[in-house]
Amino acid sequence: MKLAADLHTHTIASTHAYATITEMVNEAAKQDLFAIAITDHAPAMPGGPGPYYFESLSILPQYLNGVRLIRGMEADIINYEGDIDCPQKLQSSLEWIVASMHTVTLSEEPSVEKCSEAYLKIAENPNVNVIAHSGSEWFKYDYEKVIPKLAKEGKLIEINDSAFRYKKESMPNCVQIAKVCKKYGARICVNTDSHFTHTVGRAYETLEMLEDIDFPEKLIVNAGVDTTKAYFREKNILY
């Protein structure tokens, strides 16, 4: 099993990532990916680009070096009411929104109850595609309660490969999330969260874990070109 698309990546626009859009896309082409989503951090993240950066993504070509370039954002969940740091008008103009929690963009201390409520509210936002790195040790939530709701609303639950490369404390949570997704038939995506070219499309450890737990490949949206395209059609994303 290998990825057909990497749907959560960053460029130098995020200032703590180290490659350009062109470099990331060219690496995606080398890895024979069908698509790559460029999802730089939203303005609430220190060092993140401002709104005009995201408003201007429309100038980018739909395809670059044969790879479908998805113009997106990693939006911050900024409170436990499920609000994100992306105005409604801008949300509607983007092709792809990954929503996630970070300690630097949440003022209140997290709890399982607060995080669960935030994700349940996010599930109702039609512009959000992916719940990113929710296996974080900092932001645990009620998987049994939240994942069925996310699945019902068409959200993809991300298994973020950086947990297996850099944030090992989150690995057990990712395994548990994957098992709950399998239980409820919830669709997932496996992403690298790459901040440089050397990891684009290379989610080997996550894919190995999914094989170990006999996770159905048909539920991994970006494990095949056909399933990726099917999700894009569902969300009216051109390809």
Side-chain angles (χ1 to χ4, degrees):
M1 191 191 317
K2 67 185 292 292
L3 296 186
D6 200 343
L7 301 174
H8 178 181
T9 69
H10 297 275
T11 75
I12 55 173
S14 291
T15 71
H16 62 283
Y18 304 97
T20 65
I21 290 175
T22 300
E23 289 168 334
M24 296 294 279
V25 174
N26 286 346
E27 187 60 32
K30 290 179 184 177
Q31 296 301 313
D32 198 30
L33 297 185
F34 160 66
I36 184 172
I38 301 298
T39 53
D40 282 308
H41 285 286
M45 174 63 66
Y52 192 57
Y53 167 83
F54 296 101
E55 292 168 8
S56 301
L57 288 175
S58 59
I59 70 171
L60 296 174
Q62 194 175 89
Y63 279 85
L64 187 61
N65 199 4
V67 177
R68 178 61 169 91
L69 171 57
I70 306 295
R71 294 157 285 193
M73 168 194 283
E74 181 176 5
D76 297 290
I77 300 170
I78 54 175
N79 56 43
Y80 298 108
E81 286 73 53
D83 294 317
I84 59 176
D85 57 342
C86 181
Q88 184 65 41
K89 184 177 179 181
L90 181 54
Q91 290 182 40
S92 301
S93 73
L94 294 168
E95 294 182 293
W96 197 257
I97 295 180
V98 171
S100 62
M101 295 185 186
H102 297 90
T103 55
V104 295
T105 55
L106 278 166
S107 58
E108 292 183 35
E109 287 293 317
S111 67
V112 170
E113 293 75 18
K114 290 178 183 177
C115 293
S116 298
E117 186 61 27
Y119 284 129
L120 289 171
K121 293 289 180 59
I122 283 289
E124 299 171 2
N125 185 333
N127 297 312
V128 171
N129 301 93
V130 179
I131 306 304
H133 50 70
S134 70
S136 169
E137 182 67 13
W138 288 95
F139 302 112
K140 289 183 178 179
Y141 60 101
D142 186 335
Y143 306 145
E144 292 279 344
K145 180 179 180 181
V146 173
I147 285 174
K149 173 69 172 178
L150 294 173
K152 180 182 177 183
E153 299 298 332
K155 308 307 176 203
L156 303 181
I157 297 96
E158 177 187 82
I159 308 296
N160 190 305
D161 195 63
S162 67
F164 295 83
R165 283 183 276 114
Y166 309 125
K167 303 170 184 176
K168 305 273 187 192
E169 71 279 1
S170 298
M171 286 172 55
N173 299 333
C174 291
V175 174
Q176 183 60 29
I177 287 169
K179 288 179 177 179
V180 176
C181 288
K182 177 183 175 182
K183 175 181 177 181
Y184 291 105
R187 292 178 296 178
I188 70 169
C189 58
V190 175
N191 294 323
T192 65
D193 199 357
S194 290
H195 285 59
F196 191 62
T197 58
H198 69 305
T199 52
V200 170
R202 300 170 176 88
Y204 306 132
E205 292 187 70
T206 299
L207 293 174
E208 182 179 352
M209 177 274 290
L210 292 171
E211 289 179 352
D212 287 344
I213 67 169
D214 197 25
F215 192 91
E217 188 170 343
K218 67 181 181 180
L219 293 178
I220 309 172
V221 162
N222 58 332
V225 174
D226 288 344
T227 50
T228 302
K229 287 181 175 179
Y231 186 80
F232 286 178
R233 287 194 298 271
E234 181 182 322
K235 299 300 179 181
N236 297 314
I237 298 169
L238 300 176
Y239 60 85

Coordinates of all heavy atoms in Angstrom, one line a residue, residues 70-104:
I70 N -3.7 21.0 -4.8 CA -4.9 21.4 -4.0 C -4.6 22.6 -3.1 O -3.7 22.6 -2.3 CB -5.4 20.2 -3.1 CG1 -5.6 18.9 -3.9 CG2 -6.7 20.6 -2.3 CD1 -6.7 19.0 -4.9
R71 N -5.4 23.7 -3.3 CA -5.1 24.9 -2.6 C -5.9 25.0 -1.3 O -7.1 25.1 -1.3 CB -5.5 26.1 -3.6 CG -4.5 26.1 -4.8 CD -5.2 26.8 -6.0 NE -6.2 26.0 -6.6 CZ -6.7 26.3 -7.8 NH1 -6.3 27.4 -8.5 NH2 -7.6 25.5 -8.3
G72 N -5.1 24.9 -0.2 CA -5.8 24.8 1.1 C -5.2 25.5 2.2 O -4.4 26.4 2.0
M73 N -5.6 25.1 3.4 CA -5.1 25.8 4.7 C -5.2 24.8 5.8 O -6.1 23.9 5.8 CB -6.1 27.0 5.0 CG -5.9 27.5 6.4 SD -7.3 28.6 6.8 CE -6.8 30.1 5.9
E74 N -4.3 24.9 6.7 CA -4.5 24.2 8.0 C -5.0 25.3 9.0 O -4.3 26.2 9.4 CB -3.2 23.6 8.6 CG -3.4 22.9 9.9 CD -2.2 22.2 10.5 OE1 -1.1 22.3 9.9 OE2 -2.4 21.6 11.6
A75 N -6.3 25.2 9.2 CA -6.9 26.2 10.1 C -6.9 25.8 11.6 O -6.9 24.6 11.9 CB -8.4 26.4 9.7
D76 N -6.7 26.7 12.4 CA -6.6 26.5 13.9 C -8.0 26.5 14.5 O -8.8 27.4 14.2 CB -5.8 27.5 14.6 CG -4.3 27.5 14.1 OD1 -3.6 26.5 14.4 OD2 -3.9 28.4 13.4
I77 N -8.3 25.5 15.3 CA -9.5 25.5 16.1 C -9.1 26.4 17.3 O -8.3 26.1 18.1 CB -9.9 24.1 16.6 CG1 -10.2 23.2 15.3 CG2 -11.1 24.1 17.5 CD1 -10.3 21.7 15.6
I78 N -9.8 27.5 17.4 CA -9.3 28.6 18.3 C -10.1 28.6 19.6 O -9.7 29.3 20.5 CB -9.4 30.0 17.7 CG1 -10.7 30.3 17.1 CG2 -8.3 30.1 16.6 CD1 -10.9 31.7 16.5
N79 N -11.2 27.8 19.7 CA -11.9 27.7 21.0 C -12.6 26.4 21.0 O -12.7 25.7 20.0 CB -12.8 28.9 21.2 CG -13.8 29.1 20.1 OD1 -14.4 28.1 19.6 ND2 -14.0 30.3 19.6
Y80 N -13.3 26.1 22.1 CA -13.9 24.8 22.2 C -15.4 24.9 21.8 O -16.2 23.9 21.9 CB -13.8 24.3 23.7 CG -12.4 24.1 24.0 CD1 -11.7 24.9 24.9 CD2 -11.6 23.0 23.4 CE1 -10.4 24.7 25.2 CE2 -10.3 22.9 23.7 CZ -9.7 23.7 24.6 OH -8.3 23.5 24.9
E81 N -15.7 26.0 21.1 CA -17.0 26.1 20.4 C -16.9 25.7 19.0 O -17.8 25.7 18.2 CB -17.6 27.5 20.5 CG -18.2 27.9 21.9 CD -17.1 28.1 22.9 OE1 -16.1 28.9 22.6 OE2 -17.1 27.4 24.0
G82 N -15.6 25.3 18.6 CA -15.4 24.9 17.2 C -15.2 25.9 16.2 O -15.2 25.7 15.0
D83 N -14.9 27.1 16.6 CA -14.5 28.2 15.7 C -13.1 28.0 15.1 O -12.2 27.5 15.9 CB -14.7 29.6 16.3 CG -16.1 29.9 16.7 OD1 -17.0 29.6 15.9 OD2 -16.3 30.4 17.8
I84 N -12.9 28.4 13.9 CA -11.5 28.4 13.3 C -11.1 29.8 12.9 O -12.0 30.7 12.7 CB -11.5 27.4 12.1 CG1 -12.5 27.8 11.0 CG2 -11.7 26.0 12.6 CD1 -12.3 26.9 9.7
D85 N -9.8 29.9 12.7 CA -9.3 31.3 12.4 C -9.3 31.5 10.9 O -8.2 31.9 10.3 CB -7.9 31.4 13.0 CG -6.9 30.4 12.5 OD1 -7.3 29.3 12.0 OD2 -5.7 30.6 12.7
C86 N -10.4 31.3 10.3 CA -10.6 31.5 8.8 C -12.0 32.1 8.6 O -13.0 31.4 8.9 CB -10.4 30.2 8.1 SG -10.5 30.3 6.3
P87 N -12.1 33.3 8.1 CA -13.4 33.9 7.9 C -14.2 33.1 6.9 O -13.7 32.4 6.1 CB -13.1 35.3 7.3 CG -11.7 35.6 7.7 CD -11.0 34.2 7.8
Q88 N -15.5 33.1 7.1 CA -16.5 32.3 6.3 C -16.2 32.5 4.8 O -16.2 31.5 4.0 CB -17.9 32.7 6.7 CG -18.9 31.8 6.0 CD -18.9 30.4 6.4 OE1 -18.7 30.1 7.6 NE2 -19.0 29.4 5.4
K89 N -16.1 33.7 4.3 CA -15.9 34.0 2.9 C -14.6 33.3 2.4 O -14.6 32.7 1.3 CB -15.8 35.5 2.6 CG -15.7 35.8 1.2 CD -15.7 37.3 1.0 CE -15.6 37.7 -0.5 NZ -15.6 39.2 -0.7
L90 N -13.6 33.3 3.2 CA -12.3 32.7 2.8 C -12.4 31.2 2.8 O -11.9 30.5 1.9 CB -11.2 33.2 3.7 CG -9.8 32.6 3.4 CD1 -9.4 32.9 2.0 CD2 -8.7 33.2 4.4
Q91 N -13.1 30.7 3.8 CA -13.4 29.2 3.9 C -14.0 28.7 2.5 O -13.6 27.7 2.0 CB -14.3 28.9 5.0 CG -13.8 29.0 6.4 CD -14.8 28.6 7.5 OE1 -15.5 27.6 7.3 NE2 -14.8 29.4 8.5
S92 N -15.0 29.5 2.1 CA -15.7 29.0 0.9 C -14.8 29.1 -0.4 O -15.1 28.4 -1.4 CB -16.9 29.9 0.7 OG -17.8 29.8 1.8
S93 N -13.8 29.9 -0.4 CA -12.9 30.1 -1.5 C -11.8 29.1 -1.7 O -11.2 28.9 -2.7 CB -12.3 31.5 -1.6 OG -11.3 31.6 -0.6
L94 N -11.5 28.3 -0.6 CA -10.5 27.4 -0.6 C -11.0 26.0 -1.0 O -12.2 25.7 -0.8 CB -9.9 27.2 0.8 CG -9.1 28.5 1.4 CD1 -8.9 28.3 2.9 CD2 -7.8 28.7 0.6
E95 N -10.1 25.2 -1.6 CA -10.5 23.9 -2.0 C -10.4 22.9 -0.9 O -11.1 21.8 -0.9 CB -9.5 23.4 -3.1 CG -9.6 24.2 -4.4 CD -8.7 23.6 -5.5 OE1 -7.5 23.7 -5.3 OE2 -9.2 23.1 -6.5
W96 N -9.6 23.1 0.2 CA -9.3 22.1 1.2 C -9.0 22.8 2.5 O -8.2 23.7 2.5 CB -8.1 21.3 0.7 CG -7.9 20.0 1.4 CD1 -7.0 19.7 2.3 CD2 -8.6 18.8 1.1 NE1 -7.0 18.4 2.7 CE2 -8.0 17.8 2.0 CE3 -9.6 18.4 0.3 CZ2 -8.5 16.5 2.0 CZ3 -10.1 17.1 0.3 CH2 -9.5 16.2 1.1
I97 N -9.7 22.3 3.5 CA -9.4 22.9 4.9 C -9.1 21.7 5.8 O -10.0 20.8 6.0 CB -10.5 23.8 5.4 CG1 -10.6 25.0 4.5 CG2 -10.2 24.2 6.8 CD1 -11.7 26.0 5.0
V98 N -8.0 21.8 6.4 CA -7.6 20.8 7.5 C -7.7 21.6 8.8 O -7.2 22.7 8.9 CB -6.1 20.4 7.3 CG1 -5.6 19.6 8.5 CG2 -6.0 19.6 6.0
A99 N -8.5 21.1 9.7 CA -8.7 21.8 11.0 C -8.0 21.0 12.1 O -8.0 19.8 12.2 CB -10.2 21.8 11.3
S100 N -7.3 21.8 13.0 CA -6.5 21.1 14.0 C -6.4 22.0 15.3 O -6.7 23.2 15.2 CB -5.1 20.8 13.5 OG -4.4 22.0 13.1
M101 N -5.9 21.4 16.3 CA -5.7 22.1 17.6 C -4.2 22.2 17.9 O -3.4 21.3 17.6 CB -6.3 21.4 18.8 CG -7.8 21.3 18.7 SD -8.6 20.6 20.2 CE -10.3 20.5 19.7
H102 N -3.8 23.4 18.4 CA -2.4 23.6 18.8 C -2.4 24.4 20.1 O -3.3 25.2 20.4 CB -1.6 24.5 17.8 CG -1.5 23.8 16.4 ND1 -2.4 23.9 15.4 CD2 -0.5 23.0 16.0 CE1 -2.0 23.3 14.4 NE2 -0.9 22.7 14.7
T103 N -1.5 24.1 21.0 CA -1.4 24.8 22.3 C -1.3 26.3 22.1 O -1.8 27.1 22.9 CB -0.3 24.2 23.1 OG1 1.0 24.4 22.4 CG2 -0.5 22.8 23.5
V104 N -0.6 26.8 21.1 CA -0.3 28.2 21.0 C -1.5 29.0 20.5 O -1.5 30.2 20.5 CB 0.9 28.5 20.0 CG1 2.2 28.0 20.7 CG2 0.7 27.9 18.7

